[in-house]
Amino acid sequence: MPTSTWNRHHVLSLADFTAAEYDIVLKTAASFQEVLSRRTKKVPALQGQVVANLFFEPSTRTRSSFELAAKRLSADTLNFAASTSSMTKGETILDTAKTYLAMGTDIMVIRHKEAGVPNAIAQEMDRLGVRVSVLNAGDGQHEHPSQGLLDLFTICSLIDPANPRLELLQGKKIAIVGDILHSRVARSNIWSLIASGAQVHLAAPPTLLPKLFAEYIFGEETAPPGQLFIHWQLEPALQEADFVMTLRLQKERMTAHLLPSLREYHQLFGITRTKLQLCQPNVKVLHPGPVNRGVEISSDLMDDPEFSLIQSQVTSGVAVRMALLYLIGSGKT
C-alpha cells in the first residue's frame, strides 16, 4: 500500500489536502476495492488496533461503512450511541473521548451535529500527547471528508477503473444541486473537485445558496478563476454536465421556512430524465443519501443503473474508509 508520502495524523477536512494526498487515497482505495472482491475480504493491516465509532448524531451509511471497513482491516471496533451513553447523565464530549482513550482506542471516528467537535477532540488528544488519530465523519455544516473522497473515488473509478487519479477530472463539468447551504457534503466535494481541476457548478434556490457562498467556503481566498459557478436556476448548471450530484433537503437544519413546497422544489430543482437531456449523453447522477425519493431525484432515475451511481457510492465507501483508516493507522502498528 502506498504510504511513503502520507504524513497526516488526523483527517478533519479536505481544505488543506494536497493533490498527492488525494491520489494516495484513491490508489489505496483501489487496492482495497480489489481485496473486497475476493472470497476472503479481510486483511490484517490493523490487527490489534481499536477503532471507536463515536457517533453523536444518527447515521446509517457512514457508521455501518466505517464499522465494516475497520473489521475488514482486522481492527477491534467500539460503537458509541449518545442516546444510550453516560452523556444522558451529564458526561461531556471530551470526557467521553477520554474514556475511550483509556480503553486503548487508536483511532476515533467522530460524527456530531455541531461543527468543530472532531477538531476539538483531535486537539485534546494532541494536547495529551497520545498517538490517537481522529477522523471526521461529518460535523454540522462544516465538512464530511470521507464522503467527499468516496464521491471522488466513485467518479474516478468509473473513468479509469485500473488507475483512479485526480487528474481524470481536469476540465470535467460537475453540477452540485440542492440544499448546498446546509450541506457538509457539498463543502467537502467543492474542495476535492476544485483540486482536481473540474468546473463546479452549484445550483439551488437563493434561500439555499447565498450569493456570497463562495466567500463562506474560501474565506478571504477565492476559488480558482473559471472553476466555481453559482446558479439560481437549474438549467445552466446541467448544460453539458458530465456528472450531477444532487443533495438531500436537510429540513432538520433549516431554522426558517426556506421553500414554498417540496412539490415546487422538485419541479424546479429535482433531477429527472427529462432534465438530464441537457447534460452529456453519458451523464451520471450521484446522491450521498439518504434520498427523499420524488423530491431531489425521481424514483425511477434513482434506480436506473444506466444513470445512477448511488449504489456504487455506498460500495465505494467501504474501500475509501478502509484506505483512510489504514493510512492514519499504519504508523501505529
Side-chain angles (χ1 to χ4, degrees):
M1 300 294 175
T3 61
S4 57
T5 57
W6 182 271
N7 300 310
R8 190 176 289 269
H9 185 54
H10 307 296
V11 177
L12 302 171
S13 168
L14 298 186
D16 59 348
F17 253 58
T18 65
E21 287 176 318
Y22 281 115
D23 279 336
I24 290 172
V25 173
L26 293 174
K27 293 180 188 299
T28 307
S31 298
F32 284 127
Q33 190 86 298
E34 189 276 327
V35 170
L36 293 172
S37 69
R38 302 175 189 169
R39 181 174 180 179
T40 301
K41 298 176 171 61
K42 262 194 172 185
V43 291
L46 296 186
Q47 191 168 19
Q49 292 198 43
V50 177
V51 176
N53 294 314
L54 308 183
F55 278 57
F56 300 88
E57 185 182 46
S59 169
T60 299
R61 291 158 189 77
T62 304
R63 179 171 181 161
S64 299
S65 184
F66 268 115
E67 182 177 0
L68 184 57
K71 289 179 176 178
R72 292 291 188 234
L73 294 168
S74 301
D76 297 316
T77 58
L78 294 170
N79 290 309
F80 165 90
S83 60
T84 57
S85 74
S86 292
M87 291 190 69
T88 60
K89 303 174 183 177
E91 185 173 74
T92 68
I93 292 172
L94 289 181
D95 283 339
T96 297
K98 290 176 184 177
T99 297
Y100 280 87
L101 170 64
M103 293 180 187
T105 295
D106 298 284
I107 300 173
M108 295 183 184
V109 181
I110 313 291
R111 167 171 282 202
H112 200 281
K113 65 179 181 179
E114 298 295 338
V117 170
N119 297 60
I121 293 175
Q123 290 172 7
E124 182 66 9
M125 295 299 114
D126 292 344
R127 186 188 69 80
L128 294 171
V130 295
R131 288 178 55 79
V132 173
S133 295
V134 175
L135 210 160
N136 180 4
D139 61 330
Q141 295 174 210
H142 175 227
E143 276 207 55
H144 195 343
S146 65
Q147 182 70 46
L149 290 168
L150 76 86
D151 290 344
L152 186 69
F153 179 72
T154 301
I155 295 173
C156 291
S157 296
L158 180 72
I159 299 172
D160 188 348
N163 185 21
R165 58 199 185 277
L166 198 64
E167 67 180 24
L168 293 171
L169 298 187
Q170 178 78 37
K172 297 287 186 182
K173 180 176 179 179
I174 301 177
I176 302 179
V177 181
D179 187 1
I180 294 168
L181 176 63
H182 301 100
S183 176
R184 51 196 173 203
V185 173
R187 286 161 170 79
S188 289
N189 273 317
I190 288 169
W191 284 115
S192 64
L193 295 173
I194 290 293
S196 75
Q199 294 182 9
V200 183
H201 290 252
L202 310 179
T207 51
L208 299 179
L209 181 58
K211 184 177 182 180
L212 299 178
F213 183 79
E215 283 78 354
Y216 298 156
I217 295 291
F218 293 96
E220 295 181 359
E221 301 177 9
T222 57
Q227 276 197 264
L228 187 66
F229 305 87
I230 290 178
H231 307 282
W232 290 340
Q233 292 82 34
L234 181 61
E235 288 72 17
L238 294 187
Q239 194 74 44
E240 302 298 321
D242 297 285
F243 296 92
V244 178
M245 296 180 173
T246 181
L247 303 171
R248 180 176 66 90
L249 289 176
Q250 301 191 36
K251 291 174 283 186
E252 73 277 9
R253 299 188 191 278
M254 296 181 186
T255 57
H257 188 68
L258 302 179
L259 296 169
S261 69
L262 296 181
R263 181 178 179 180
E264 181 174 323
Y265 175 84
H266 180 69
Q267 289 176 343
L268 296 177
F269 290 94
I271 304 301
T272 63
R273 293 176 187 275
T274 301
K275 291 172 184 173
L276 286 186
Q277 292 176 7
L278 294 168
C279 305
Q280 295 285 359
N282 59 347
V283 65
K284 303 297 180 186
V285 179
L286 301 92
H287 193 302
V291 181
N292 293 310
R293 287 177 178 265
V295 179
E296 298 111 18
I297 182 172
S298 63
S299 190
D300 66 308
L301 183 59
M302 176 182 169
D303 295 328
D304 188 342
E306 182 181 349
F307 294 100
S308 175
L309 294 179
I310 295 173
Q311 291 304 312
S312 296
Q313 288 174 274
V314 177
T315 303
S316 296
V318 178
V320 169
R321 286 161 179 143
M322 285 178 72
L324 291 173
L325 292 172
Y326 170 78
L327 288 167
I328 64 176
S330 58
K332 306 178 195 298
T333 54

